[in-house]
DNA sequence: TCTCTAATTGCAAATCTTTGCAACTAAAAA
DNA sequence: TTTTTAGTTGCAAAGATTTGCAATTAGAGA
């Protein structure tokens, strides 16, 4: 029925129960080609079934993130979005002026990551970092 | 009466009006030696006067940030804190496990900042960046 | 000083998200 | 298959922050 048997199996093994709501939410996230907010996931869920509840969506997305089956990105100003793991590592350059998000190579932070580890013992997670600033268009325009 | 005449003058020149509420909020932020949440500013305000309202605190802090007279730091999970400009540039290493915040030298991102500018035309503001990860204690303990 | 006007305040209501809890149910055990 | 029980759901209520609006007021100008 589902297209994500691996995630479901893993969750079951960790003591979670697989409900139809969870299956559908996992489907939506896993096959999304872009970041989705809880609200957007909820709307897509509604198109499939009436058994959909925003509270459950919030809880399921949080759980998927905690368990390592979804990415979570806090864009600030209360904008939290989720993406599938397939959405590989990269930086988000968020323009404070036009709100556009440019995706950038995250390897340019490899040096910084190493230094943080060396000097502060801090294991930073920079694979999906958001950086705020002003994009070229907004600076020139 | 106030100890921050410069900020008040500048605000007046920009068309803002100086109310006693604003003066007190500016005092609290400008003389704070650490980051404060809106709630914390509100509590400090209450100690001074009964003429204090949480809505006004939210609006004033936002205004001070927009006008460049306060720093604003979104630590994620809805934790937004404000600091005076005197709180110089540095990184915040936020531990996802114990929630502690380590302050780190921001110059170790100078290279990355330059590359973002060169390759993406993006003028990143990295002077008060929050980086999430796991601190040494949490990794060892 | 007095008048006038647009900015500000504080309340209430609206939003967005989280939390408590009783009813329900997945799935392990009998 | 039936029983059991601990995890899950969905509602309602609580929190946190923002917004609309009428009353108030800072500060410019007469
Ligand atoms: Mn992305
Ligand atoms: Mn700091
Ligand atoms: Zn832009
Ligand atoms: Zn820690």
């Amino acid at each position: 029925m589902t297209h994500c048997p691996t995630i479901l199996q893993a969750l079951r093994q960790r003591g979670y129960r697989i409900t139809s709501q969870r299956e559908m939410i996992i489907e939506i996230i896993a096959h999304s080609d872009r970041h989705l907010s809880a609200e957007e996931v909820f709307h897509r869920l509604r198109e499939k079934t009436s058994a959909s509840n925003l509270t459950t969506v919030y809880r399921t997305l949080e759980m998927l993130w905690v368990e390592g089956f979804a990415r979570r990105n806090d864009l600030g100003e209360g904008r939290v979005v989720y993406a599938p793991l397939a959405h590989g590592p990269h930086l988000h350059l968020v323009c404070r002026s036009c709100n556009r998000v440019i995706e950038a190579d995250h390897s340019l932070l490899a040096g910084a990551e190493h230094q943080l580890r060396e000097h502060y013992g801090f294991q930073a997670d920079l694979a999906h970092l958001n950086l705020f600033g002003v994009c070229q268009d907004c600076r020139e325009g």
Side-chain angles (χ1 to χ4, degrees), chain A:
Chain A
M1 202 63 59
T2 177
H3 301 103
C4 308
T6 315
I7 295 180
L8 299 184
Q9 282 308 319
L11 288 176
R12 238 188 293 258
Q13 275 173 22
R14 298 183 199 182
Y16 291 96
R17 292 179 182 178
I18 307 308
T19 64
S20 61
Q21 290 95 330
R22 281 187 176 164
E23 279 196 37
M24 287 186 283
I25 293 171
I26 289 170
E27 280 291 293
I28 289 167
I29 283 293
H31 296 142
S32 173
D33 59 344
R34 62 181 193 79
H35 300 224
L36 298 176
S37 67
E39 197 77 28
E40 287 173 314
V41 171
F42 175 65
H43 284 313
R44 294 196 181 190
L45 193 57
R46 282 226 121 158
E47 294 167 6
K48 296 185 172 192
T49 174
S50 61
S52 66
N53 176 281
L54 189 52
T55 300
T56 301
V57 171
Y58 276 113
R59 283 196 277 227
T60 302
L61 291 175
E62 165 88 10
M63 181 272 283
L64 289 174
W65 174 62
V66 167
E67 294 301 329
F69 295 115
R71 298 197 192 288
R72 170 170 162 154
N73 225 296
D74 190 333
L75 296 170
E77 332 257 307
R79 293 170 300 169
V80 177
V81 292
Y82 293 84
L85 292 187
H87 192 74
H90 56 265
L91 302 178
H92 286 169
L93 309 180
V94 185
C95 178
R96 282 214 180 89
S97 176
C98 67
N99 269 314
R100 225 180 319 173
V101 179
I102 302 165
E103 307 210 333
D105 180 14
H106 80 295
S107 68
L108 87 179
L109 287 177
E113 193 167 342
H114 183 74
Q115 284 189 61
L116 289 171
R117 179 71 187 249
E118 287 295 304
H119 299 160
Y120 300 93
F122 190 80
Q123 182 64 59
D125 174 16
L126 308 181
H128 290 270
L129 185 66
N130 300 310
L131 298 177
F132 296 86
V134 187
C135 75
Q136 189 150 37
D137 291 356
C138 287
R139 217 144 26 75
E140 292 173 347

